[in-house]
Amino acid sequence: SQTIHQWPATLVQPVGSPLSLECTVEGTSNPNLYWYRQAAGRGLQLLFYSVGIGQISSEVPQNLSASRPQDRQFILSSKKLLLSDSGFYLCAWVGGRHYNEQFFGPGTRLTVL
Amino acid sequence: KNQVEQSPQSLIILEGKNCTLQCNYTVSPFSNLRWYKQDTGRGPVSLTIMTFSENTKSNGRYTATLDADTKQSSLHITASQLSDSASYICVVSAPGGGADGLTFGKGTHLIIQP
């Protein structure tokens, strides 16, 4: 069966510090991968998605970036965090019987102070 | 602009009672609608998926309905349990798939009290 991992689970970082969140998927090959942010009281916001190694599409202009160095690895980064980057970050992949049915990882809670 | 509106924003009910959550959408064209359950601090987990031709789909104590004509969906929870406390998110998908084909609601925060 397929599983999706994210780490770290929680992170507290000062403003201006760098960020690296990692997502890996097991049990599938060439998945479409997604990064979402969920701010308090708001819906899921799509940040990036990737259909393959080295292929990144950005949905929202911001100080975050994403990379896909391996087929089942998706990384979310920032060179300098802002207070507004605080939130719950979710990685997801597409699979299942229904096209674009998304399966989400456990999430990373990021607090920028 | 494609939108998904969920109501109520939050809901508190007593354990054992039933409740119904609403989802109205303006997404067009339409492919499918999904309900997710998201426990606090966890990723969303899919409850049901319905395509255009499906009116009702059940998953245990969860029953989702879809009226594609009025663009409305509901999620009914029967005999609620404490473990049902979570946020419930409605997601509508446009045909063709792709990440930009999904529109998320902001969710309904449900609290079950003993």
Side-chain angles (χ1 to χ4, degrees):
Chain A
S1 63
Q2 300 86 2
T3 57
I4 182 167
H5 304 278
Q6 286 185 245
W7 63 90
T10 60
L11 190 60
V12 180
Q13 293 283 90
V15 169
S17 64
L19 173 73
S20 181
L21 303 182
E22 189 165 346
C23 170
T24 59
V25 181
E26 295 179 357
T28 186
S29 59
N30 196 30
N32 288 355
L33 296 174
Y34 306 82
W35 277 113
Y36 289 89
R37 177 169 58 202
Q38 189 176 35
R42 302 181 67 178
L44 285 160
Q45 178 188 33
L46 178 63
L47 301 175
F48 301 95
Y49 68 95
S50 171
V51 298
I53 295 174
Q55 301 179 63
I56 307 295
S57 295
S58 175
E59 290 294 307
V60 183
Q62 55 205 324
N63 69 320
L64 299 174
S65 62
S67 62
R68 187 162 175 182
Q70 300 180 41
D71 180 45
R72 288 172 286 181
Q73 184 184 31
F74 202 20
I75 297 172
L76 183 68
S77 304
S78 174
K79 293 182 178 179
K80 289 185 177 182
L81 283 169
L82 306 173
L83 287 174
S84 58
D85 291 324
S86 293
F88 192 53
Y89 287 83
L90 287 159
C91 180
W93 72 280
V94 169
R97 294 185 296 112
H98 296 266
Y99 186 71
N100 77 6
E101 176 178 358
Q102 291 198 316
F103 297 88
F104 290 87
T108 294
R109 171 70 61 190
L110 172 65
T111 302
V112 182
L113 302 175
Chain B
K1 179 181 178 181
N2 289 336
Q3 289 186 318
V4 174
E5 300 289 338
Q6 292 189 242
S7 62
Q9 187 174 19
S10 61
L11 181 62
I12 302 174
I13 64 172
L14 293 175
E15 185 180 10
K17 298 296 185 181
N18 304 336
C19 66
T20 300
L21 314 181
Q22 298 291 341
C23 173
N24 297 338
Y25 61 93
T26 61
V27 177
S28 182
F30 169 87
S31 176
N32 60 66
L33 183 147
R34 281 163 278 176
W35 283 94
Y36 284 90
K37 178 186 179 188
Q38 184 177 20
D39 293 321
T40 301
R42 307 287 295 275
V45 176
S46 180
L47 292 174
T48 65
I49 298 178
M50 289 185 292
T51 59
F52 182 88
S53 60
E54 297 176 295
N55 300 120
T56 303
K57 183 165 284 189
S58 293
N59 178 1
R61 294 180 296 101
Y62 300 101
T63 299
T65 65
L66 173 64
D67 186 334
D69 291 331
T70 62
K71 297 184 178 179
Q72 295 179 325
S73 175
S74 66
L75 181 69
H76 186 74
I77 304 175
T78 304
S80 62
Q81 300 177 359
L82 296 178
S83 59
D84 293 330
S85 294
S87 288
Y88 292 83
I89 302 171
C90 176
V91 184
V92 181
S93 174
D100 57 353
L102 299 176
T103 305
F104 289 82
K106 294 182 179 180
T108 292
H109 186 52
L110 176 64
I111 298 173
I112 310 298
Q113 289 186 337

